[in-house]
């Protein structure tokens, strides 16, 4: 699955007191081992991953979020008596708290919002007051891993306690 908002305006004339064109997209989960379109050879990856996890007792949490907002103004005339506002905004939010009571807890989060406004050379924009064109991206990344190691009843020591949180964010506007 992929979250997107797109406004395509082609070979048109827009007239008004104020002309506002917005495309707003919010995050979407794009990695899911139950979704056969997410990963190539999903079945073999699932089987290998499950076998591996069963053998080492890891707790793994994954949050991967993307969004795309696009506005294309192609061969179009925009005429406004007051203002013209063209705005593409994309927000991606990956939040995960992985709590493990095993050997290790691992959390991974990734966000990638993309906002694009394209106005081709065949388009003309005229406004009495102002023209504002913006492309804005926002990343929200909150990744936590906590491993609660249990004290061994035999040795009275904590055997191994590993917690790893990895976050990666990128944005394109």
């Amino acid at each position: 699955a992929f979250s997107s908002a797109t406004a395509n305006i082609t070979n048109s004339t827009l007239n008004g007191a104020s002309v506002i064109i917005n495309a707003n997209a919010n995050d979407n989960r794009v990695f899911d081992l139950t979704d056969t379109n997410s990963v190539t050879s999903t079945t073999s990856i699932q089987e290998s991953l499950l076998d591996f996890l069963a053998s080492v007792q890891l707790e793994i949490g994954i949050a991967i979020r993307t969004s795309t907002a696009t506005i294309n103004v192609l061969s179009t005339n925009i005429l406004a008596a007051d203002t013209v506002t063209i705005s593409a905004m994309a927000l991606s939010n990956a939040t995960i708290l992985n709590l493990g009571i095993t050997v290790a807890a691992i959390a991974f989060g990734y966000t990638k919002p993309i906002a694009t406004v394209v106005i081709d050379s065949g388009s003309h924009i005229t406004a009495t007051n102002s023209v504002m064109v913006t492309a804005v991206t926002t990343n929200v990344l909150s990744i936590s891993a906590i491993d609660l190691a249990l004290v061994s009843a035999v040795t009275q020591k904590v055997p191994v306690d590993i917690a790893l949180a990895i976050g990666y964010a990128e944005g394109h506007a």
Side-chain angles (χ1 to χ4, degrees):
F2 183 71
S3 176
S4 67
T6 303
N8 290 315
I9 303 165
T10 305
N11 296 320
S12 302
T13 298
L14 304 177
N15 290 311
S18 290
V19 176
I20 300 170
I21 304 168
N22 289 323
N24 298 319
N26 289 325
D27 61 9
N28 190 28
R29 186 170 159 211
V30 297
F31 179 82
D32 181 353
L33 285 178
T34 62
D35 180 1
T36 57
N37 294 320
S38 294
V39 180
T40 308
S41 305
T42 303
T43 304
S44 63
I45 289 173
Q46 282 177 333
E47 291 169 0
S48 299
L49 184 59
L50 291 174
D51 290 343
F52 175 73
L53 293 178
S55 67
V56 296
Q57 299 179 340
L58 293 177
E59 293 287 335
I60 297 178
I62 299 172
I64 298 176
R65 305 283 187 167
T66 66
S67 62
T68 301
T70 305
I71 297 175
N72 294 306
V73 179
L74 309 173
S75 299
T76 295
N77 291 314
I78 300 174
L79 307 167
D82 190 17
T83 61
V84 174
T85 303
I86 302 172
S87 175
M89 293 185 286
L91 166 78
S92 290
N93 180 352
T95 302
I96 189 166
L97 169 60
N98 190 18
L99 179 62
I101 308 178
T102 60
V103 172
I106 298 172
F108 174 76
Y110 172 77
T111 60
K112 183 179 180 183
I114 300 170
T116 306
V117 175
V118 175
I119 301 172
D120 76 348
S121 61
S123 294
H124 302 282
I125 300 174
T126 304
T128 303
N129 285 322
S130 63
V131 175
M132 183 170 61
V133 179
T134 59
V136 178
T137 62
T138 303
N139 277 306
V140 178
L141 187 61
S142 176
I143 310 303
S144 301
I146 301 170
D147 189 43
L148 304 175
L150 302 176
V151 176
S152 168
V154 176
T155 64
Q156 297 298 312
K157 295 181 181 178
V158 176
V160 176
D161 185 16
I162 300 169
L164 176 63
I166 302 167
Y168 180 73
E170 62 179 293
H172 302 278

